[in-house]
Structures are given as C-alpha cells and as structure tokens.
C-alpha cells in the first residue's frame, strides 16, 4: 500500500502521460503558479496600491508552500527517479541536480529572512532570485527540454568555439590597447576597456561608446569586425545542427513506434 501511494505521487509530480488526468492537472497548476509568480516579480517594480501588494504577499506565501511541498515530494520519490541507486544516494543525486537547485533557489528567498536578519537592500537582491521559478517550467515543456538536450549534446563543440572566440577577444584587446592608449588615454585606459570594445565589436553590436581613432586602430577594428561576423556565427551553427539532429532522432523514434502495435506489441507490416 505504502509503495503504491509513493508510486502514484511520483507519477503525479513527474511529467504527465496520456490519460493521467491528475498528473495533467498538477502540471497545469504548477505552470500557472510559476507564470503568476514571474508576473508578480515584474509587478513589484511598479507603483501599485498597498492592498494589491498585500494580495501579492498572500499569493507569495501560498506559492512558497506549494513549491516547498513539491520540492520535498521530489526528494521523497527520488529513489523512483533513480531506481539503480540506493534511496540515500538517489536523494543526494536529486538534491544536487540542476532542477533541484532551481527548486531550492525558488523558495529560499522566502525562508532566509525568517531565519537570518538581513538588511532590506540585500533582501531586495535575494528576492530577485524568485524569478528563477520560471525555469521550473522546464519540467513541463518539451521545448525547454529539447534546448537543454541540444546544449548537452553539443557542449564540447560549443565550449571549443567559445574558448577560441574568448582567446581572440583577449588578443584583440591587448593589441587595441597598445595602439589606442596614447591617442585616447581616457577611453582606452586599460585592457578591460579594450576588452569591452572587443566584445561589442565581435558580437557586431557596436555601442559606439569606445572606438579607435588612429589608422592602425581602425584597420584592426575592421579586421575584428569581419572576424566577428564569422566566429560568432559558429556557436549558432553548432546549436542549429544540434536541433536538426534532435528533430531527426525524434522523427526516427516516432517512425519506429508506428511500426509496432501499441496494444499487442507486434510489428505492423
């Protein structure tokens, strides 16, 4: 009986399957609560009536209670999520997983001031963390799951391309600093100022607050701008290729499932 109840709790709090109404309702409820909380974080930045702020406080308390219960239930059923591990190891693995950390950060801003007296300015900064609740939607949408899966599959290529871009930015910054420092000591006062210019140029943003005025500086700036068009496009191409591979893989899986009867499991000719 205990095992069945635990299994049912696990099925409800995990991503809903076809025909499981309770799990579907739970998913919709949590998603709605996450969206409401994200809207509240934005609403707090406006000048709103006191009575409305009090309503927001009650919604916040209710949300934290729900998110806390959900967090504890996920720890409780972690051994079903990782059946190959012992209950203790499964719970520790879940606690230190990305989504569990997001869950914890989503509720901590409420509990910290109750435990530790904090300056109001610090409290405002901590409350911003509540916006991380929006990442909890990842559990309930395949779109976010696909994005994270693509980044995970292509992490080595992405890291390599980003490292190359960063190295070139640093080299360009040092060169530009040495070229422009004498002509513009107040603008290119150190390498970090030149690095800000390199980031804006490589990404083709070009804020215009820092720019070269010497001939050699303009030549280097032109080269960096042209390189930026190609190099910044590399991570984008890697991510695009990852999405295409993921789409093809899902399509193949769907085709394989269609080849078999969902009731008897026999292959359909």
């Amino acid at each position: 009986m205990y095992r069945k109840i635990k299994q049912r709790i696990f099925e409800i709090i995990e991503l809903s399957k076809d025909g499981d109404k309770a799990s579907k309702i739970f998913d919709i409820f949590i998603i709605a609560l996450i969206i409401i909380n994200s809207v509240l974080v934005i609403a707090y930045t406006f000048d709103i009536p006191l009575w409305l702020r009090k309503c927001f406080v009650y919604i916040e308390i209710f949300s934290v209670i729900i998110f806390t219960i959900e967090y504890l239930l996920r720890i409780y059923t972690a051994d079903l999520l990782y059946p190959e591990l012992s209950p203790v190891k499964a719970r520790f693995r879940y606690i230190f997983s990305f989504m569990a950390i997001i869950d914890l950060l989503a509720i901590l801003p409420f509990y910290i001031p109750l435990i530790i007296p904090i300056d109001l300015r610090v409290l405002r900064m901590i409350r911003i963390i509540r916006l991380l609740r929006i990442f909890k939607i990842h559990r309930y949408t395949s779109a976010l799951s696909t994005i994270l899966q693509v980044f995970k599959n292509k992490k080595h290529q992405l890291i390599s391309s980003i490292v190359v871009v960063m190295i070139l930015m640093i080299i360009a910054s040092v060169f530009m600093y040495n070229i422009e420092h004498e002509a513009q000591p107040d603008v290119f006062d150190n390498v970090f100022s030149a690095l800000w210019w390199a980031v804006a140029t490589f990404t083709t943003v070009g804020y215009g607050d820092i720019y070269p005025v010497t001939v050699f500086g303009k030549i280097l700036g032109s080269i960096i701008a042209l390189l930026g068009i190609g190099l910044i496009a590399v991570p984008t191409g890697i991510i695009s290729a990852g999405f295409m591979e993921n789409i093809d893989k899902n399509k193949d899986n769907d085709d394989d499932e269609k080849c078999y009867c969902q009731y008897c499991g026999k292959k359909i000719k």
Side-chain angles (χ1 to χ4, degrees):
M1 186 64 181
Y2 167 79
R3 185 72 180 180
K4 288 182 179 179
I5 294 173
K6 188 175 184 178
Q7 180 66 37
R8 185 56 185 147
I9 292 172
F10 176 74
E11 291 171 355
I12 291 173
I13 64 176
E14 285 301 308
L15 190 62
S16 63
K17 296 180 180 179
D18 294 337
D20 194 338
K21 291 184 178 180
S23 183
K24 190 71 175 179
I25 292 170
F26 176 82
D27 291 353
I28 294 171
F29 174 69
I30 293 294
I31 290 173
L33 207 57
I34 292 168
I35 293 172
I36 290 170
N37 276 262
S38 301
V39 171
L40 290 186
V41 173
I42 298 169
Y44 269 115
T45 63
F46 292 89
D47 186 15
I48 54 178
L50 182 61
W51 67 268
L52 191 56
R53 284 186 176 271
K54 288 182 178 179
C55 292
F56 287 175
V57 170
Y58 291 129
I59 295 172
E60 170 74 8
I61 293 171
F62 175 74
S63 301
V64 169
I65 292 171
I66 297 299
F67 290 145
T68 303
I69 293 172
E70 181 201 7
Y71 178 67
L72 295 175
L73 287 176
R74 289 187 182 281
I75 294 175
Y76 170 65
T77 59
D79 55 324
L80 298 178
L81 183 63
Y82 305 108
E84 71 280 2
L85 301 176
S86 66
V88 175
K89 289 183 178 179
R91 288 180 174 88
F92 270 103
R93 181 172 176 180
Y94 173 75
I95 288 171
F96 292 103
S97 65
F98 173 75
M99 286 310 303
I101 293 172
I102 292 295
D103 289 344
L104 185 60
L105 290 175
I107 59 177
L108 271 182
F110 179 83
Y111 292 112
I112 289 176
L114 299 178
I115 302 171
I116 306 171
I118 296 179
D119 184 84
L120 289 176
R121 289 170 294 180
V122 178
L123 181 59
R124 291 193 196 102
M125 293 300 297
I126 292 176
R127 283 178 175 173
I128 295 174
I129 301 175
R130 292 180 301 173
L131 195 57
L132 293 175
R133 290 172 187 171
I134 199 167
F135 285 104
K136 288 165 64 65
I137 294 180
H138 159 69
R139 284 199 181 96
Y140 312 101
T141 58
S142 58
L144 287 174
S145 300
T146 301
I147 292 171
L148 290 177
Q149 187 62 44
V150 168
F151 274 88
K152 185 178 180 180
N153 294 339
K154 297 293 181 180
K155 62 182 178 182
H156 297 296
Q157 295 94 320
L158 285 171
I159 291 171
S160 299
S161 63
I162 291 170
V163 168
V164 170
V165 171
M166 289 179 66
I167 290 171
L168 288 175
M169 280 184 182
I170 293 170
I171 293 172
S173 303
V174 174
F175 271 98
M176 187 57 75
Y177 169 76
N178 285 283
I179 293 171
E180 291 290 323
H181 178 62
E182 289 187 8
Q184 303 183 80
D186 294 334
V187 178
F188 289 89
D189 55 341
N190 53 52
V191 174
F192 286 106
S193 298
L195 182 60
W196 169 247
W197 165 85
V199 171
T201 305
F202 261 97
T203 55
T204 68
V205 173
Y207 288 110
D209 55 339
I210 299 178
Y211 54 88
V213 295
T214 64
V215 174
F216 288 112
K218 289 179 179 179
I219 292 172
L220 178 61
S222 300
I223 294 171
I224 296 303
L226 292 171
L227 282 174
I229 295 172
L231 288 173
I232 297 300
V234 172
T236 306
I238 292 170
I239 294 170
S240 300
F243 274 111
M244 294 305 297
E245 290 174 8
N246 192 275
I247 290 169
D248 292 337
K249 184 178 178 181
N250 290 336
K251 185 178 179 181
D252 292 338
N253 290 337
D254 290 341
D255 291 340
D256 291 340
E257 289 177 2
K258 290 177 182 178
C259 292
Y260 295 88
C261 177
Q262 60 177 330
Y263 301 106
C264 64
K266 293 183 179 180
K267 192 170 183 178
I268 300 173
K269 295 181 181 180

